[in-house]
Amino acid sequence: MRGLLSHLVPHKLKYRLFAAFVLVILLPFSILNIYNYQKIESLVQKKVSEQSHEQLDNLHRSLEDQLSIAFKTLIFLEQDTEVRQILQEPDRFSSLDNKDMMEDKFKGLNNSFFLYNPSVYFTLLDDHGHVYTSYQPRLPLDYDAIASNASFAAMRETKASYLWVPDDANYVSRDISKSPMLLSLYAELRDRGNRTYGLARISIDFSFWFQSMLQKSESDQAYFIMTRKGETIARSIPDSELSPEAIEGVSRAPDNGYWMDDRGDALVNYSYLSSLDWYLVDRIPLRVLFNEIESLKQQYFVTFFIITAVFVAVAFMLAYTFTRPLSRMQSKMREAVRKDLLIRLPEKNYKGEILELTRTFNTMMVDMNGLIQRLRAEERQKDAVHFQMLLAQMNPHFLLNTLNTLKWIGLRGGSEETVEICLSLGKLLETSLNADVDLIYLRDEIELTRAFLYIQQVRYGNRFEIEFSYDEDLVYALVPKLSLQPLVDNAIRHGIANMQEGGRIWIRMDRDVEYPDRLTLEVEDNGVGLEQSKRSREEGRKRPGIGLDNVRERLRLLFKDKGELDIVPLPRGTLCRLRLPLLLSQPYDSGLHAIDRQDEREA
């Protein structure tokens, strides 16, 4: 996963900044705008759906009013005395008179209830074979055929006083109504004693009513009346159809709502009529739904893309402007490596933080160039010193060979003192020739000091005494080689060299009292003292001399600020104190010391 991200993430800072602008600002801004636009579309869709439902509710209420008026006219006819008398006693008047009186009743009902929409048709039957209608029939009237209608039979079977039939076949003359079906109310006419004295059929031309109600509706919107079975029984536009998905989606929900018809690219609103088991459906094409915001949509997205393009260009320019000085500095740094850091950036082209960065870069180049020059000079000096050391080693090697020759001469002549002097001086020379070792055991340093003191005792005729004091557990502590010898040499030459007798040197080695992790080496003498030595030195050399300076320099190189050398004047003599870190090379036990002592005896 990390490897894939490393390939996807750009490596140059310029492209990283640009990608950060796109991901952090542009992408969230684009997603937010798309979300807001979809939210606007949803709100518009909901608003249009609500308006469409208001129209459907108006149609619903109007149809309910038609049903209510039809039911009221049934009650009016049932309670009218003249109508009841004609149906119960048809022989009281002539057939022509009965027909005229019935037609006057029907006209009065139409004038009073249906003046605005005369599309209701009345049919009355008595028990004596007479039929009275308010319309011109499509076929000749047949009493038996009408009385035996399946709807009347169903009403008798269920013993209901009335029955609504939503899909009654149109029986009115085509000159009056061309609708395929009528909405009919079938009922029995009963007197006050609840005895049946006739049948009534009141039909509503709902197709005519439907067309008249939608004359002022939007031409692109289509309205339908649909049954629960999915059959369309009325439509506002003759050739309009609902898609099978829309029919299935509406018929599954006996309620009010809306449904998106993706196949028909339309919004379908529906209202359910429970009394008739019908649906009033309104289909609105999406192009009509969003017609009002289409131009706004185009303007919005054109503006959005223009702003996005400008933003991308500005972001890229900012990233380029910001990273251009860094890229130039990067190329200059590569060039500086090739040209030995002799590169400078022009400061007049920049301002602000970039100017400070440029100045810092130039200063760094100057400092690095100076440092490199000093390192090169030190390297040359080191090579020269190494060459001189190689030359200087030739004389000590020659002197060591000469001492070996003198030693064998002393052995042949029987002069033990000469032999011992040659051995002691040989140890010192051999140690000084070993340039690869800077630290040696404290016991080895003590042996070298004893060899040096033997030579000095011979030289000064044993005029001074030496006293060593150290802890056996510290004999394997690491100390700079030939660190005690210069201190003892200064104690002899500047302290007790001019004394005839009574000279004494104390050499002490122990842990530091204040700092247990440090080792203290002390050389104390009872000589003439520091001030007297300065005045009486024949050669004019000043104490502490070159040897002590050499010790200080070696301490600085080996231990930095953790090694130090102090010269302490005493009332009688001088004390040289050497402090350095306590470095124990190996653990100590009696067996180890025994082995070491045995090795020494065998040597």
Side-chain angles (χ1 to χ4, degrees), residues 593-603:
H593 291 302
I595 293 173
D596 293 337
R597 287 192 294 271
Q598 183 178 356
D599 293 339
E600 291 176 358
R601 287 194 299 272
E602 292 176 355

Side-chain angles (χ1 to χ4, degrees), residues 416-429:
E416 294 184 359
E417 187 175 68
T418 302
V419 173
E420 290 296 329
I421 291 176
C422 290
L423 290 175
S424 298
L425 185 57
K427 289 182 180 179
L428 294 174
L429 289 175

Side-chain angles (χ1 to χ4, degrees), residues 120-173:
V120 179
Y121 309 106
F122 301 97
T123 303
L124 296 180
L125 292 82
D126 58 13
D127 294 336
H128 305 285
H130 298 94
V131 180
Y132 304 96
T133 64
S134 64
Y135 55 88
Q136 180 180 352
R138 181 173 300 183
L139 299 174
L141 294 174
D142 186 350
Y143 178 86
D144 294 332
I146 298 174
S148 61
N149 188 289
S151 299
F152 283 124
M155 184 181 63
R156 294 189 189 98
E157 290 178 3
T158 58
K159 297 180 181 182
S161 57
Y162 65 92
L163 177 67
W164 282 104
V165 179
D167 54 352
D168 201 10
N170 193 353
Y171 49 81
V172 181
S173 172

Side-chain angles (χ1 to χ4, degrees), residues 225-245:
I225 297 179
M226 189 183 78
T227 64
R228 173 63 72 86
K229 297 179 181 179
E231 181 182 0
T232 301
I233 58 177
R235 54 179 57 86
S236 61
I237 301 176
D239 297 331
S240 61
E241 293 289 344
L242 287 172
S243 65
E245 291 80 9

Side-chain angles (χ1 to χ4, degrees), residues 216-228:
K216 297 181 180 180
S217 64
E218 296 290 338
S219 59
D220 291 328
Q221 296 185 25
Y223 291 85
F224 304 86
I225 297 179
M226 189 183 78
T227 64
R228 173 63 72 86

Side-chain angles (χ1 to χ4, degrees), residues 35-92:
Y35 171 79
N36 289 334
Y37 182 76
Q38 291 178 348
K39 195 73 174 178
I40 292 172
E41 285 187 337
S42 300
L43 292 175
V44 172
Q45 176 180 316
K46 184 177 180 181
K47 186 66 176 179
V48 173
S49 178
E50 291 176 355
Q51 294 176 355
S52 177
H53 271 292
E54 290 180 1
Q55 296 177 357
L56 292 178
D57 290 339
N58 291 333
L59 288 175
H60 194 156
R61 286 192 295 269
S62 177
L63 184 56
E64 293 287 351
D65 291 342
Q66 292 289 324
L67 299 179
S68 177
I69 291 173
F71 199 77
K72 289 178 181 179
T73 56
L74 173 63
I75 296 174
F76 180 81
L77 291 172
E78 190 177 38
Q79 294 178 354
D80 190 275
T81 304
E82 291 183 3
V83 173
R84 187 187 314 119
Q85 188 177 10
I86 293 171
L87 295 178
Q88 289 178 343
E89 302 175 6
D91 296 335
R92 185 176 181 179

Side-chain angles (χ1 to χ4, degrees), residues 11 112 187 257 296 335 351 364 443 514 588 590:
H11 297 285
S112 60
L296 179 62
E335 187 178 355
K351 296 180 180 179
M364 181 181 66
R443 67 172 187 176
E514 297 181 1
Y588 303 102
S590 58

